[in-house]
Amino acid sequence: RRVHGLTRRLEAIDKRVNDVEMENETLLMKMSKCEQNNAQLALSIEDKQREISTLSRQLDASIHDGKRASESSQAKLASRDRNNHARIIELEGQLSRAKAELSQVRRSKEEADRKYNTRLQDLRDRLEQSHVTTRAMQNYIGFLKTS
């Protein structure tokens, strides 16, 4: 009985050892798969880190290029603005001078018109005086002929 009991116990322990060994094999296989997954994930992480690093450098370069382009555009706009402002000042000066010259020409024309009208009136008056003198002479000649 005792041997029989020990045999059963031994068989139970044997079965338990077999079960534990099978469980160990299963766990070892699962652990191996986990290690493979971890290795793949580690590679994937490295790939992503390289990709992020590349994208980060590209982003930095794009930002730098954008800033440089913006600064260049701002400099060009500022230069264009200064040139336009200088051109406006120049054109305003030319306009002012042209207006002054126009005013001077108008005054000169008005003065010339006054002188012309005065001279014309003087010539008309002298012509009228000539006509009066001519009529008076003709009348005197007619008087002399009739006398």
Side-chain angles (χ1 to χ4, degrees):
R1 248 183 176 202
R2 206 170 176 196
V3 174
H4 187 15
L6 287 175
T7 305
R8 262 198 259 152
R9 270 180 134 195
L10 187 58
E11 287 173 0
I13 290 173
D14 241 1
K15 185 175 185 308
R16 179 74 181 129
V17 167
N18 281 339
D19 289 345
V20 168
E21 284 177 352
M22 288 180 71
E23 191 176 329
N24 271 349
E25 284 181 32
T26 304
L27 290 175
L28 284 173
M29 286 178 19
K30 284 183 181 180
M31 198 168 88
S32 175
K33 284 183 183 180
C34 281
E35 287 174 355
Q36 287 176 350
N37 283 342
N38 283 345
Q40 287 176 344
L41 289 174
L43 290 175
S44 179
I45 287 172
E46 287 177 18
D47 287 344
K48 289 298 177 186
Q49 285 176 332
R50 279 191 296 273
E51 183 181 349
I52 287 170
S53 178
T54 299
L55 291 173
S56 180
R57 282 192 303 277
Q58 289 174 353
L59 176 62
D60 288 344
S62 292
I63 289 172
H64 180 71
D65 290 347
K67 283 181 182 178
R68 190 173 52 235
S70 176
E71 289 168 357
S72 175
S73 293
Q74 287 174 353
K76 287 177 185 175
L77 285 175
S79 175
R80 210 173 297 146
D81 188 44
R82 283 190 303 276
N83 290 341
N84 287 341
H85 186 66
R87 181 72 175 139
I88 287 169
I89 290 172
E90 179 185 337
L91 291 173
E92 285 174 343
Q94 288 177 0
L95 178 62
S96 178
R97 287 188 295 278
K99 284 181 178 180
E101 288 173 14
L102 177 62
S103 292
Q104 180 61 40
V105 168
R106 283 182 177 159
R107 283 192 299 276
S108 296
K109 182 187 177 295
E110 289 170 359
E111 181 64 27
D113 284 347
R114 276 194 297 278
K115 286 181 181 180
Y116 170 77
N117 287 331
T118 301
R119 179 80 175 129
L120 181 61
Q121 188 60 44
D122 184 45
L123 288 175
R124 283 182 181 159
D125 290 345
R126 287 174 61 194
L127 182 60
E128 182 62 33
Q129 185 62 40
S130 276
H131 284 307
V132 168
T133 303
T134 302
R135 273 190 304 253
M137 289 178 138
Q138 286 172 346
N139 288 341
Y140 181 67
I141 292 173
F143 170 74
L144 290 175
K145 284 184 183 179
T146 56
S147 348

